[in-house]
Amino acid sequence: MADSRIQSRNRAAILEAGLEIFSRHGFRGATLDQIAAEAGLSKPNLLYYFASKEAIHRTLLLGLMDTWLDPIRRIDPQGEPLAELLAYVSRKMALTRQYPRESRLFANEILQGAPHIADTLSAELKTLVDALADQMQAWIDAGRLAPVDPHHTIISIWALTQHYADFDVQVRAVLDSDDPLDRAEAHVTQLFQRLLQPVD
């Protein structure tokens, strides 16, 4: 049976509250009481929708994984290699701007050893990354991309894009800026353009 409008609204409120509390306090520091208060619901009401803190956390993470993997799925093997990879960088920067709390939620999960999504990381994420690395190597072998290590280049893209969300306070302090992303995308894109430009 489909959820009623009220049930759908309450589930959405719980997930939004969970995102806020988990991204602020991490999984271990978050409590059901905090999430219920943030959602404007009683704890028993919250437990009607989700049996545990773990259930809320895993629901958020699995939804996030789909969002996080979409940019890599959109890379076209038939496209122009440099343009496809720079578009990937741009999409990752857009996620950093649009979903900073989600990025921190994911980072906290990884720092804890990925106890709730280890199966997804070792399956779907690795499969997608290996396929992209193979495609990048084919482009390199064809002289269409600079000779870089594909896997480490992908990890470098993650590091340079997600850092702006995961370490937002540090970035703002160093740059003394209320909007550190206003110039970040152009800078990061330029770095990878130079790195990936095929050698003539």
Side-chain angles (χ1 to χ4, degrees):
M1 180 183 293
D3 285 349
S4 70
R5 186 164 46 185
I6 292 175
Q7 288 173 325
S8 296
R9 187 173 65 219
N10 286 345
R11 282 181 61 86
I14 292 166
L15 291 173
E16 172 65 21
L19 174 60
E20 181 64 28
I21 297 300
F22 287 131
S23 66
R24 191 188 308 160
H25 301 291
F27 176 77
R28 292 179 182 175
T31 68
L32 283 175
D33 288 324
Q34 290 171 324
I35 297 170
E38 183 76 19
L41 299 170
S42 68
K43 184 175 176 180
N45 199 357
L46 180 151
L47 289 170
Y48 171 81
Y49 295 96
F50 293 93
S52 64
K53 178 174 78 169
E54 288 80 2
I56 299 170
H57 195 251
R58 182 167 174 80
T59 299
L60 284 166
L61 285 169
L62 291 179
L64 173 60
M65 283 298 295
D66 194 52
T67 300
W68 241 234
L69 295 177
D70 181 63
I72 205 168
R73 293 190 187 108
R74 291 170 58 187
I75 295 173
D76 181 5
Q78 305 305 315
E80 196 282 312
L82 185 58
E84 290 297 321
L85 291 172
L86 293 181
Y88 175 56
V89 170
S90 180
R91 289 192 293 271
K92 290 293 290 178
M93 289 299 295
L95 289 181
T96 291
R97 182 182 287 279
Q98 295 169 20
Y99 303 109
R101 294 178 304 167
E102 289 85 345
S103 186
R104 289 190 288 274
L105 176 76
F106 184 76
N108 282 327
E109 171 72 4
I110 299 301
L111 288 171
Q112 298 301 320
H116 303 101
I117 58 167
D119 53 344
T120 304
L121 290 178
S122 61
E124 189 172 5
L125 176 63
K126 179 166 174 49
T127 298
L128 284 170
V129 170
D130 285 349
L132 176 55
D134 288 345
Q135 181 60 62
M136 288 175 65
Q137 190 59 57
W139 284 335
I140 291 166
D141 292 344
R144 303 180 67 196
L145 206 63
V148 296
D149 182 301
H151 279 94
H152 284 286
T153 300
I154 296 166
I155 291 169
S156 294
I157 291 172
W158 298 345
L160 280 174
T161 55
Q162 290 171 222
H163 182 93
Y164 286 94
D166 300 342
F167 291 85
D168 175 69
V169 173
Q170 174 180 271
V171 170
R172 288 176 187 272
V174 169
L175 296 179
D176 192 24
S177 170
D178 289 333
D179 186 9
L181 292 176
D182 57 357
R183 294 173 58 193
E185 182 173 349
H187 171 73
V188 172
T189 299
Q190 186 179 58
L191 284 178
F192 282 105
Q193 185 169 19
R194 291 177 177 175
L195 175 68
L196 298 169
Q197 187 74 45
V199 178
D200 293 332

